[in-house]
Amino acid sequence: MGNDDELQIIQLYRDHNQYMVAGDVERLGMLLDDNFQLTHMTGIVQSKQKWLEEIKTKQMLYFSSTEEAVTVNMKNNRQADLIGRSKVNASIHGSRNTWPLQLTLHVEKVATDWKIMNIEAAMY
């Protein structure tokens, strides 16, 4: 536990943002637990499959994500929370904007890899 795990978790967040913007649902999906859920800033909860399908069909289209701040709170050597703040330029069901998006990632170490169990999105 410690610095190496924190760096891996931060990289997980950055990879998540990169794949989201690239529309790479295959690589993005590999970062997410099978039971992953995303709670959008609207309160809508989506399963892994539903969210990835909306990215794939461009109902959710991410143009850029500019990181502003990242903090990691290690709960123990297998669980942590990451709070990341980014300016996200996206078109969500046809409505395009740049949102100040705060993502809270709940992550767990599965075997030797960190996986995103769920994400809660909010504006800051």
Side-chain angles (χ1 to χ4, degrees):
M1 183 169 88
N3 207 10
D4 189 47
D5 283 321
E6 289 180 22
L7 292 174
Q8 288 178 33
I9 293 165
I10 291 169
Q11 189 60 53
L12 179 67
Y13 170 71
R14 290 177 176 158
D15 289 346
H16 162 271
N17 287 336
Q18 177 186 341
Y19 301 153
M20 194 173 71
V21 169
D24 190 339
V25 293
E26 185 174 321
R27 290 173 83 183
L28 180 59
M30 290 172 36
L31 305 178
L32 311 175
D33 184 72
D34 288 341
N35 296 315
F36 168 87
Q37 288 190 319
L38 170 63
T39 304
H40 291 276
M41 59 186 173
T42 59
I44 293 172
V45 178
Q46 283 187 314
S47 67
K48 173 182 178 175
Q49 295 75 19
K50 178 69 174 162
W51 184 48
L52 294 177
E53 182 63 26
E54 290 205 346
I55 294 171
K56 187 176 182 179
T57 60
K58 300 191 182 335
Q59 293 177 62
M60 294 191 174
L61 185 57
Y62 300 92
F63 299 101
S64 67
S65 179
T66 306
E67 183 180 303
E68 295 200 323
V70 179
T71 57
V72 176
N73 174 29
M74 298 299 299
K75 293 179 176 182
N76 55 50
N77 64 348
R78 302 206 69 79
Q79 295 180 313
D81 293 331
L82 176 143
I83 298 174
R85 289 184 168 188
S86 299
K87 299 285 188 188
V88 177
N89 182 340
S91 176
I92 306 300
H93 301 281
S95 178
R96 185 165 179 179
N97 198 0
T98 298
W99 286 277
L101 196 62
Q102 176 173 295
L103 298 182
T104 302
L105 280 65
H106 303 283
V107 300
E108 288 186 15
K109 200 169 210 176
V110 179
T112 59
D113 296 320
W114 288 96
K115 290 276 189 186
I116 303 170
M117 307 310 282
N118 59 64
I119 296 175
E120 295 150 10
M123 287 197 297
Y124 63 93

